[in-house]
């Protein structure tokens, strides 16, 4: 069995941002040489998410509005009593999830129609890592 590990780096210019990272994951898959297997993608941080959905700008704006309504940045969070200001970002990450696992078939990510891998940043403006781990043969 082959195993491949790569870290991707992101530094957003805004506090929250959604980035389609499918091209970077596909590049990692190519480097791995794996034709049949599984690909795990997760942020190495607890205020960011990796999820799969459509790359459609209206939907991304809908996520932003939904999450701000549910967990406003300016809300009151006990976590912020520690001196941090990112209580909202931790909860937004829980809502949007931690990781994705994608099947690899014939050397390609085996997506459903319109599926794309996104990195969702909820406390950005600093350098953050995303792990790509690929196993198979
Ligand atoms: Zn925090």
């Amino acid at each position: 069995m082959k195993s491949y590990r790569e870290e991707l780096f992101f530094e957003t210019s805004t506090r929250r941002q959604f980035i389609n990272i499918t091209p970077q994951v596909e590049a990692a898959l190519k480097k791995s040489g794996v034709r049949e297997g599984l690909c795990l993608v997760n942020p190495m941080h607890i205020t960011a998410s990796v999820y799969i959905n459509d790359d459609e700008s209206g939907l991304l704006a809908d996520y932003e509005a939904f999450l701000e309504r549910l967990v406003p940045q300016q809300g009151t969070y006990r976590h912020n009593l520690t001196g941090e200001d990112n209580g909202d970002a931790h909860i937004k990450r829980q809502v949007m999830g931690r990781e994705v696992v994608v099947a690899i078939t014939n050397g390609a990510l085996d997506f459903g129609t319109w599926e794309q891998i996104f990195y969702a940043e909820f406390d950005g403006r600093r350098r953050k890592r995303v792990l790509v781990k690929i196993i198979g043969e």
Side-chain angles (χ1 to χ4, degrees):
M1 187 193 75
K2 286 182 196 164
S3 172
Y4 179 80
R5 182 187 192 278
E6 183 174 329
E7 289 182 4
L8 309 175
F9 294 90
F10 299 96
E11 184 165 353
T12 61
S13 56
T14 52
R15 181 176 168 102
R16 287 185 297 279
Q17 197 171 324
F18 298 101
I19 302 169
N20 185 339
I21 63 170
T22 309
Q24 290 97 316
V25 177
E26 286 174 336
L29 174 57
K30 189 162 278 185
K31 282 184 250 173
S32 76
V34 170
R35 303 279 307 162
E36 297 291 326
L38 293 172
C39 176
L40 166 76
V41 188
N42 65 267
M44 307 287 270
H45 302 269
I46 51 179
T47 53
S49 295
V50 170
Y51 71 89
I52 291 180
N53 214 303
D54 193 4
D55 189 356
E56 194 279 309
S57 60
L59 186 59
L60 300 181
D62 289 338
Y63 289 150
E64 166 66 13
F66 167 75
L67 290 167
E68 250 336 84
R69 199 162 57 239
L70 196 66
V71 193
Q73 182 184 336
Q74 299 306 332
T76 302
Y77 304 98
R78 271 173 278 195
H79 179 65
N80 291 355
L81 297 176
T82 65
E84 292 199 58
D85 68 349
N86 61 3
D88 70 304
H90 288 277
I91 299 170
K92 284 166 176 145
R93 176 262 174 72
Q94 289 306 110
V95 172
M96 296 300 280
R98 173 180 181 265
E99 78 281 314
V100 301
V101 177
V102 183
I104 300 162
T105 305
N106 288 327
L109 297 172
D110 202 345
F111 285 132
T113 309
W114 303 115
E115 283 193 326
Q116 295 284 291
I117 304 172
F118 275 83
Y119 173 71
E121 177 61 76
F122 302 118
D123 185 20
R125 294 171 297 196
R126 56 199 168 100
R127 186 171 152 94
K128 286 183 160 180
R129 296 182 293 153
V130 170
L131 174 67
V132 180
K133 181 84 180 194
I134 296 168
I135 58 170
E137 51 190 25

